[in-house]
Amino acid sequence: MAAPKEKTLKNLSGKWVMNKTLSDDTDRILQMQGVGWFMRRLIALATITLTITEYTKDNLTHIDISQVASPGGITTTENFSLDWTYRDHSDRVFGDVKGKSRWVKLGDVDDDEFLKKGWDDLEGEHVQSFVESKGGGWTADQVWGFEDLNDKRYYVRHVVVRKGDDWKLARLVYDYQK
C-alpha cells in the first residue's frame, strides 16, 4: 500500500514492507558488504518488514527500527539518533559498524547526485544515515524520503555503498502496512 499523506519523515512510526518489485536488487551491495551467499539468498527470498518507532526526547529525534526477514527469522535492530554523532553497533548481518544520522537538506548531502534526486520534496529535510564497517572496508550512505512512483507515494531509501574504488547504488522502496 502506498504511503498515506499523513506519513512523513517526522511521522514514520508504523510497519513498512519492502516492495521488491519497485526496489533495486540488493545482491551486489550485500556481497560488497561481505554478506555470504546463503544469507543473501535468504534476504532475496524473504519478506522484509520494518517496524519503525519515531519519537523526540530532549529535543532530539530518535528512529528505532526492528527489521525482520521472514521466513527465516532474521531480525536486526537499528536505533538512529539524528545528531550526526558516531555510535557503535553490532549487527547480525553486517557485523561491527559505526554509524551516524541526521536531518539534512539535499544541498548539504555530499558528493553523490543519486542520493539527492527523485524525491517528492526537494526543499525540505530528509534523513541521512552514514555507516562504516569496522572490519569490512565498506561504507554505506543513505538518504531517506518519499517518492511518487507509478502515481503512488512511497517511503524510499537511496543507498550508496563504497568499498575501495568500487561502489554500488540501490533504491529501496517500502509499502505502508499500518
Side-chain angles (χ1 to χ4, degrees):
M1 170 173 141
K5 289 281 186 203
E6 63 270 11
K7 287 297 169 186
T8 68
L9 290 175
K10 303 236 183 224
N11 179 23
L12 274 178
S13 292
K15 286 195 179 193
W16 301 85
V17 175
M18 183 183 285
N19 182 318
K20 295 211 176 170
T21 301
L22 296 175
S23 293
D24 294 332
D25 182 29
T26 60
D27 189 70
R28 293 178 351 155
I29 283 179
L30 294 169
Q31 185 176 18
M32 183 183 283
Q33 292 173 305
V35 178
W37 180 86
F38 185 72
M39 180 67 78
R40 292 195 323 269
R41 291 289 50 97
L42 282 174
I43 292 168
L45 296 172
T47 299
I48 309 295
T49 302
L50 309 179
T51 301
I52 300 178
T53 303
E54 183 172 356
Y55 59 97
T56 301
K57 182 178 179 184
D58 299 327
N59 292 320
L60 179 62
T61 302
H62 299 269
I63 302 174
D64 298 343
I65 301 176
S66 173
Q67 181 171 270
V68 177
S70 57
I74 304 164
T75 302
T76 61
T77 301
E78 295 178 287
N79 298 317
F80 300 90
S81 298
L82 304 189
D83 62 359
W84 210 233
T85 300
Y86 274 112
R87 290 175 176 79
D88 292 330
H89 176 70
S90 184
D91 188 277
R92 182 175 174 185
V93 175
F94 302 110
D96 291 330
V97 298
K98 67 178 183 175
K100 58 185 179 177
S101 53
R102 66 179 174 172
W103 290 111
V104 66
K105 297 271 189 179
L106 293 174
D108 295 328
V109 174
D110 293 334
D111 95 291
D112 197 294
E113 285 302 311
F114 175 73
L115 295 173
K116 301 177 189 181
K117 67 180 184 179
W119 304 110
D120 67 358
D121 177 6
L122 297 175
E123 301 300 322
E125 289 185 310
H126 290 72
V127 173
Q128 182 179 20
S129 168
F130 184 81
V131 175
E132 294 179 38
S133 170
K134 289 188 173 183
W138 57 265
T139 63
D141 201 355
Q142 296 186 24
V143 173
W144 308 353
F146 287 85
E147 285 187 34
D148 289 319
L149 304 168
N150 303 325
D151 297 321
K152 295 180 182 174
R153 183 173 171 269
Y154 293 93
Y155 168 52
V156 176
R157 296 178 180 187
H158 290 196
V159 183
V160 177
V161 175
R162 292 181 177 85
K163 185 173 183 177
D165 292 334
D166 197 7
W167 51 272
K168 304 286 186 259
L169 310 173
R171 179 175 69 183
L172 307 179
V173 180
Y174 295 89
D175 290 312
Y176 182 70
Q177 295 298 302
K178 62 176 180 170

